[in-house]
């Protein structure tokens, strides 16, 4: 059995790297804070006798040998990057829970049949560089390395330059660090487990998600001397599209969600009618066919609203991650591991994107969820108890052993 | 008569200080670029034998003696600061047109009865520090110096610190550099003169204007895993208020205008439901009673929209500049000066705020408008011809002589 307090202490210690006043973490991918937590992670894995490899997009792979070197490794892990106002558990629990599994085996001198591989994926959050799950996406061949390198943050810094600047451009070709299956532990980030008083979510898949970037261009003009009928106000158009995105999601309730999360107004001056607005749209649904309908509605709403006001517009789909179904054998290993630990569980589909969603394209994969308070995530107040974290790590250990002993 | 080419050359030369690629100027108040243009202005005035005084909020006063030192000076001028994406004429024409008047008198060795005082007011634009017309407001006793010093830009830099850092905290107590009347030349910033093919606007007053700051607070949460009915989306509330601000203005058409110009979303991440939005509202109308009704509608819309969504809100009125009527004697001097120059003119009320609006509270004041292309201002494409600039400076000279010879 894993050591709950040791896991908790590691969570609380690393939470200081980028820790915020409100108790969260701001540790955007490929910043110096990300470098610090990566350095710490590498040294902890090396202390367990693991070899740590880094690939060309910064994904980190710590390998613990098994009895049989002819078997493909079993991978565990998640991501150490966070949102700008992120919590202490999103992603981090999966990596440190995996580290706790490694430490437990190390203490007992336990040898698995297959090697065990603990992974920290780069830029899972997608907040600094869109799209999300970029490191695992390159690993799985969804994106190529050049695409990843070309992604720019909102200050115009390229992914490729950011990775060089923190010294985490590794040698390994993405995808070359092969494994035979992956288990990702994560907080649910939604309200269901808590509401049903279940400790474990057996994750059967991930819903589809699409991201768009919209730009509206009108004409900057004086707020005081420009009559209402002579305006082309890009922010008014944005307001109407924000409302429409909300409606589209409600038209496909209860499963659909739709959000405008990022807005940049230019010139953003109190007495200038906004001439230009850049904003993003995030649509999700478990059924790709419904997403297609939602996209159609957005694509007709944008020109209609732009025309009402006389705005120019451009819209780009920057991400399309279809719905994913996880591997039955991996799912069954999680189910057995949960029973063995004696936790109540329920099957569920993830609302959030995860590295596991891309890895599932190339290897048997699944996930383990534990509850978080009020379902709240992407918030500094994100909260999961020591017991819940420990339950997740225990089920992760059990599932890995189950899968290893097939 | 003034020298049109010399005026134009000065306009084009100073436009390089903060000049933008699109042909505008970005010269925010109390930045190093503002210091550069102030230094240039001071040296040009001194070259004409003027003494230049600076007051404690950075207003600059260049005095040219008259025949009679017992008479109060006649002031002319405007402002050299610009919007972030401002044009080459807004404010600048009033100062450089005034400089051209001074230069013309200097060349001819002409002595006015009263001294002539050319003024560059600080932070007229109100884009970096709200409210607008802050320097003239302190001069006129509308605000006190401590209030001005306490104003913060959106990066949290205080007006008082910014003025020290560019070395333009003068000795003169604001209001102590007295004058007996003021004439401000400015571009119209609206479409009327151009549409009616009139060269000069005789400005009879300025409409009322009010600025508000609104903050909405909801709860940051994950865009993928948070169902629509569990959201408190601060940006959705903002979108509804932006739409309502537009409606309120249209309900009082055609004279009312209403605009949200500045929006800041937090955390501004694609996959986080916005938890906090700060934005501004600008309402204007020539009749203060109508502004009062518009404000009432805004003050009931904000709580209603916040409640719909479950948001907390705060709203502050940060500026209230009542409608202004200019001085009949000054207006008549402009009218005579226009006739003498042979230009077609029409009376008009200013839609934009101007330093003259505050100065009118303490001294006889009026303004002279010249057309700008398409009525466009607060835009890098703002455009006024050499002939129009020259016409404005000529009428300014004529009006000053007219007033001086009463
Ligand atoms: N798990 C998680 O928060 N992933 C970020 C990508 C997304 O779902 O938006
Ligand atoms: N003239 C001018 O653009 N003034 C700025 C203040 C305002 O009217 O918003």
């Amino acid at each position: 059995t894993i050591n709950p307090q040791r896991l908790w202490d590691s969570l609380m210690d690393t939470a200081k790297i980028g820790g915020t006043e409100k108790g969260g973490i701001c540790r955007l991918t490929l910043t110096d804070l990300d470098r610090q937590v990566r350095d710490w992670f590498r040294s902890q894995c090396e202390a367990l006798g693991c070899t740590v490899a880094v690939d060309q997009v910064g994904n980190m792979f710590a390998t613990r040998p098994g009895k049989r070197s002819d078997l493909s490794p079993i991978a565990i892990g998640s991501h150490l990057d966070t949102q700008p106002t992120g919590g202490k558990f999103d992603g981090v629990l999966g990596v440190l829970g995996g580290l706790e599994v490694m430490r437990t085996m190390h203490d007992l001198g336990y040898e698995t049949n297959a090697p065990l591989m603990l992974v920290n994926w780069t830029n899972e959050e997608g907040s600094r560089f869109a799209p999300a799950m970029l490191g695992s996406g390159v690993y799985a061949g969804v994106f190529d390395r050049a695409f990843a390198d070309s992604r720019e943050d909102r200050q115009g810094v390229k992914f490729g330059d950011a990775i060089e600047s923190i010294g985490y451009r590794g040698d390994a070709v993405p995808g070359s660090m092969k494994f035979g299956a992956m288990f990702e532990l994560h907080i649910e980030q939604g309200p269901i487990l808590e509401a049903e008083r279940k400790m474990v979510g057996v994750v059967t898949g991930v819903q589809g998600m699409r991201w768009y970037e919209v730009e509206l261009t009108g004409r900057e003009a004086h707020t005081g001397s420009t009559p209402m009928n002579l305006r082309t106000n890009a922010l008014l158009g944005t307001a109407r599209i924000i409302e429409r995105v909300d409606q589209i999601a409600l038209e496909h309730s209860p499963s659909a969600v739709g959000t405008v999360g990022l807005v940049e107004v230019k010139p953003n001056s109190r007495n200038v009618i906004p001439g230009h607005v850049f904003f993003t749209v995030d649509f999700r649904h478990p059924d790709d066919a419904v997403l297609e309908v939602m996209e159609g509605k957005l694509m007709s709403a944008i020109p209609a609203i732009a025309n009402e006001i006389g705005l120019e517009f451009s819209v780009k789909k920057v991400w399309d991650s279809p719905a994913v179904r996880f591997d039955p054998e991996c799912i069954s290993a999680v189910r057995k591991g949960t029973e063995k630990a004696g936790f109540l569980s329920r099957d569920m589909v993830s609302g959030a994107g995860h590295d596991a969603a891309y890895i599932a394209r190339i290897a048997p994969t699944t996930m383990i969820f534990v509850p978080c308070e009020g379902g709240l995530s992407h918030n500094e107040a994100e909260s999961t108890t020591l017991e819940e974290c420990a339950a997740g790590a225990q089920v992760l250990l059990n599932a890995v052993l189950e899968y290893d002993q097939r």
Side-chain angles (χ1 to χ4, degrees), chain A residues 215-220 234 264-267 273-278:
Chain A
E215 298 196 55
L216 298 181
T217 306
R219 199 167 70 145
E220 289 174 18
E264 289 172 3
V265 178
K266 284 190 185 151
I273 298 163
H276 186 266
V277 183
F278 171 96

Side-chain angles (χ1 to χ4, degrees), chain A residues 384-404:
Chain A
T384 296
T385 64
L386 183 149
E387 291 69 30
E388 290 160 338
C389 292
Q394 187 63 52
V395 171
L396 178 64
L397 172 62
N398 294 0
V400 165
L401 294 180
E402 199 69 48
Y403 197 82
D404 186 52

Side-chain angles (χ1 to χ4, degrees), chain A residues 105-119:
Chain A
M105 290 181 178
H106 183 76
D107 288 352
L108 301 172
Y110 184 88
E111 271 194 294
T112 45
N113 294 309
L116 201 59
M117 193 184 258
L118 175 56
V119 191

Side-chain angles (χ1 to χ4, degrees), chain A residues 285-334:
Chain A
H285 195 280
D287 180 348
D288 292 322
V290 178
L291 269 181
E292 195 62 29
V293 175
M294 291 167 69
E295 177 170 306
K297 290 181 178 180
L298 180 69
M299 292 304 166
S300 64
I302 293 171
I305 289 168
N307 285 347
E308 265 166 35
I309 300 174
L311 300 168
E312 288 169 46
F313 67 93
S314 87
V315 48
K316 266 192 294 194
K317 176 151 64 166
V318 294
W319 195 32
D320 186 340
S321 179
V324 170
R325 299 180 72 117
F326 285 141
D327 177 69
E329 222 177 326
C330 288
I331 293 173
S332 130
V334 170

